Amino acid sequence: MKKQVLWILSLMVALVLVLAACSSDDKSKDSESASDSGGSSSGGTKLEMWTFNELHKTFYDEMAKRWNEANPGKEIQLSVSVFPYEDMHNKLLVALQSGTGAPDLADIELNKFPNFLKGDPQLLPLNDIVEPELNNLVKSRLDIYAKDGNYYGIDFHVGAAVIYYNKEILDKAGVNPDDIVTWADYEAAGRKVLDAAGVPMTTLETSDLWSLMPQVAQAPGKDDLQTADGQLNITSPVVSGPLKWQQNLIKSKIAILTPGGNHHAEEYYGMMNGGGAASVWMPMWYMGRFTDYMPDLKGKIVIKPMPVWKEGEPRSAGMGGTGTAVTKTSKNQEAAKAFLAYAKLSREGNIEIWKQLGFDPLRSDVWNAPELKESNKFTDYFGPDIFDVLTEVKGEIEGVVVNENTPAISDAFKTSVITRILLDNEDVDKVLSDAANQLK
């Protein structure tokens, strides 16, 4: 009996030791996890951040480590959570409206940002970190996240629209891309390409706005789908003109509809990778789609400024974006702003945005930096002079009008307007008039 009691007591002691060891291991893992997220379990200001993009998280984690190394005594513990796109934006909106549960910082996609500026924005004005750097920044990319003189979001990139030419195809047709100055030149070159190479000059989207918005936004003045003061503008020549031109390109077979509906579809990547079209206009950040999804075009693609409707007009426009914001409910607003300024406004941060993400940085003073000419997958693919084009059009990057009406207008074009015009070949003016009546 005594032996049995001693055996039970020994077993209990062993279990206690095992549980103590497990507890120690769990604490060790928790410490490692905190370190991995860019902070330190032993101290530092805790900052919570939400994003919808895993690559953004990787960037922020790296910048948090760099911040801690560069700012002893001001360390942060950054915890970045990645949510699905719609879920994150909906969750953030509810949290801000209720006043509880919001993170310190959040990525908000451009088309969703107007929803967060309605009424009294529950985001913190960022003028104190933006204005000291304005001379180094492309201001039009800050204006899209502004309201009543306050800046509420900071983007990753300029998103400058450029045109990507397949030089191998153009050479077959005897076309020099440097001779293409206007869209009329582009159309004429497209006829030569179609005759000589048997492929279309480009592809036009039906389910997204990347084919349309750069051509609309680059028109002189501040008006695009809306006027500068927010009035609906879709029936104006600024919008109808490019759509009529695109419709004519489809009819003449100089252009075809984009396989899959947009330039992010697998069907498009496969077609383009096989030399199925001679060019496409997209923002600079689209370089990553070429390197990742169209590897067979390595060494064949050259980047040039977009053609213009009339010589002397702007040759680019800023497209897409993600505005990173600090919430008013943050208990560590100054730390959050300081980190955001370091990650997305500083020279070091902008160089890392290029190195890590392949985006055209918001600071134009780094475009000529030697770090941007260092060999990486983008320079290996496109050549070492990528930023020469961006520098060339520095003063010609038009902004876009973004406000609370933007999401509804964008949805109308994506779901109906473009399809009716380019696929169904309906009268452009009638389609735009119908859409305007519905939107009003």
Side-chain angles (χ1 to χ4, degrees), residues 1 3 66 80 88 134 147 183-184 187 193 214 221 292 315 320:
M1 181 71 178
K3 289 183 178 179
R66 289 171 177 263
V80 186
M88 194 224 75
L134 269 180
K147 179 181 179 181
W183 287 113
E187 184 175 351
V193 166
D292 294 352
R315 292 178 291 170

Side-chain angles (χ1 to χ4, degrees), residues 64-138:
K65 291 177 183 178
R66 289 171 177 263
W67 167 271
N68 289 341
E69 291 170 359
N71 295 276
K74 296 182 180 180
E75 291 89 348
I76 62 172
Q77 294 184 51
L78 183 68
S79 176
V80 186
S81 299
V82 183
F83 299 97
Y85 175 84
E86 290 291 345
D87 291 350
M88 194 224 75
H89 287 97
N90 292 338
K91 183 178 180 180
L92 180 62
L93 198 59
V94 170
L96 291 175
Q97 289 173 343
S98 66
T100 59
D104 300 284
L105 301 112
D107 276 350
I108 306 174
E109 197 269 336
L110 173 63
N111 282 309
K112 297 288 187 180
F113 212 95
N115 295 329
F116 294 84
L117 295 183
K118 292 179 179 179
D120 179 22
Q122 294 307 297
L123 306 176
L124 202 65
L126 303 174
N127 295 46
D128 56 336
I129 62 173
V130 169
E131 289 175 350
E133 299 292 347
L134 269 180
N135 289 338
N136 297 318
L137 304 171
V138 179

